[in-house]
């Protein structure tokens, strides 16, 4: 439980502010985004696209079980239904759930140590979804290093098929915390496609006002 709590909160803590670059590669194009993200606890998150200019101000807000997207080009706030939590976030391979972290490894899965890994050194954990949990993944296998950092995740769908692989690279100290700053998400069934996320800066345990996670703030993100 302590390890899964650590993994759940590695990029979040009680609160956080992060600057992140995202690059989406497909067989035909490459697209880059720069975003700023605020989180508080396990139930509040605001993510705002700062670049490129044509997408500046596009934002996602999570408060409790509610999720909204703001689209400045049409000046509209759209509530995202629970059924869309596992849909793509802004055309990336990450889902809405990945970005706002509604699901929890500790709460939603039953875990056990599966086997030792020698290269790289660490331990494989097997997580099976708890009965009655709504979500896309029936199982997640996680390789955790000897210093309790994530190295690799294999996500299996409800039919038991490998759906995607998430790699954690480049361990650095940001915000006083050692963590992998480069994440690569690769869909298993799409050749030549991946999404890379790179943390440029992150601060933890920063006081944040209640208005940070409000619809008014969402719509003023630009």
């Amino acid at each position: 439980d302590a390890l899964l709590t650590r993994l759940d909160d590695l990029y979040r803590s009680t609160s956080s502010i992060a600057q992140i670059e995202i690059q989406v590669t497909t067989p035909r194009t490459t697209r880059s985004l720069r975003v700023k993200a605020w989180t508080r606890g396990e139930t509040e998150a605001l993510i705002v696209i700062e670049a490129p200019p044509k997408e500046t101000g596009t934002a996602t807000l999570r408060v409790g079980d509610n999720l909204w997207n703001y689209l400045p080009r049409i000046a509209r706030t759209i509530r995202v239904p629970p059924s869309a939590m596992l849909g793509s976030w802004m055309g990336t391979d990450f889902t809405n759930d990945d970005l706002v972290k509604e699901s929890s490894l500790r709460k939603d899965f039953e875990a056990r140590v599966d086997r030792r890994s020698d290269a790289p050194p660490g331990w494989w954990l097997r997580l099976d979804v708890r009965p009655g949990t709504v979500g896309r993944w029936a199982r997640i296998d996680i390789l955790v290093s000897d210093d309790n950092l994530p190295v690799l995740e294999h996500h299996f769908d409800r039919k038991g098929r490998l759906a995607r692989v998430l790699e954690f690279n480049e361990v650095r100290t940001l915000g006083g915390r050692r963590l992998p700053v480069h994440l690569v998400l690769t869909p298993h069934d799409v050749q030549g496609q991946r999404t890379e996320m790179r943390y440029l800066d992150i601060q933890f345990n920063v006081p944040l006002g209640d208005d940070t996670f409000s619809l008014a703030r969402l719509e003023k993100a630009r």
Side-chain angles (χ1 to χ4, degrees), residues 119-146:
W123 293 90
W124 279 100
L125 310 180
R126 173 169 170 158
L127 281 65
D128 292 290
V129 70
R130 295 184 186 276
T133 300
V134 177
R136 182 178 177 183
W137 312 123
R139 170 182 153 198
I140 302 176
D141 291 353
I142 305 177
L143 176 58
V144 181
S145 68
D146 286 336

Side-chain angles (χ1 to χ4, degrees), residues 1 11 18 25 36-37 59-61 66 69 85 92 109 117 142 159 167 195 197 199 205:
D1 279 354
Y11 298 93
T25 301
K36 189 169 184 178
T60 298
L61 172 68
N66 298 304
N69 284 333
M85 283 300 295
T92 72
F109 293 86
S117 171
I142 305 177
K159 294 184 178 180
E167 303 172 53
T195 297
M197 178 183 293
Y199 283 82
N205 305 319

Side-chain angles (χ1 to χ4, degrees), residues 150-169:
V151 177
L152 199 61
E153 291 185 6
H154 293 166
H155 294 193
F156 296 84
D157 65 20
R158 291 286 180 162
K159 294 184 178 180
R161 300 170 301 192
L162 178 63
R164 64 183 197 175
V165 175
L166 180 59
E167 303 172 53
F168 298 82
N169 305 306

Side-chain angles (χ1 to χ4, degrees), residues 17-131:
I17 303 175
Q19 294 276 356
I20 304 167
E21 281 185 350
I22 298 173
Q23 181 170 294
V24 184
T25 301
T26 70
R28 294 184 177 181
T29 63
T30 298
R31 170 173 165 254
S32 296
L33 303 170
R34 189 177 72 247
V35 307
K36 189 169 184 178
W38 295 257
T39 72
R40 187 171 64 177
E42 297 182 351
T43 61
E44 295 175 305
L46 174 66
I47 302 164
V48 179
I49 297 178
E50 297 186 321
K54 69 177 182 179
E55 298 188 61
T56 298
T58 302
T60 298
L61 172 68
R62 178 198 172 193
V63 179
D65 294 330
N66 298 304
L67 189 72
W68 297 270
N69 284 333
Y70 177 65
L71 308 176
R73 289 204 291 178
I74 58 174
R76 285 192 60 192
T77 298
I78 300 172
R79 189 172 185 275
V80 180
S83 59
M85 283 300 295
L86 298 176
S88 168
W89 183 82
M90 302 299 173
T92 72
D93 293 303
F94 287 98
T95 66
N96 289 303
D97 185 43
D98 290 326
L99 269 291
V100 301
K101 302 184 187 300
E102 182 178 52
S103 62
S104 162
L105 298 177
R106 181 177 62 84
K107 295 176 182 178
D108 297 341
F109 293 86
E110 297 175 347
R112 61 179 173 85
V113 177
D114 189 52
R115 64 189 185 278
R116 176 70 183 171
S117 171
D118 294 324
W123 293 90
W124 279 100
L125 310 180
R126 173 169 170 158
L127 281 65
D128 292 290
V129 70
R130 295 184 186 276

Side-chain angles (χ1 to χ4, degrees), residues 179-200:
L179 45 73
V181 300
H182 183 217
L183 284 63
V184 182
L185 182 61
T186 306
H188 183 66
D189 57 352
V190 184
Q191 291 293 324
Q193 183 164 317
R194 68 182 184 278
T195 297
E196 299 178 60
M197 178 183 293
R198 185 180 296 276
Y199 283 82
L200 305 177

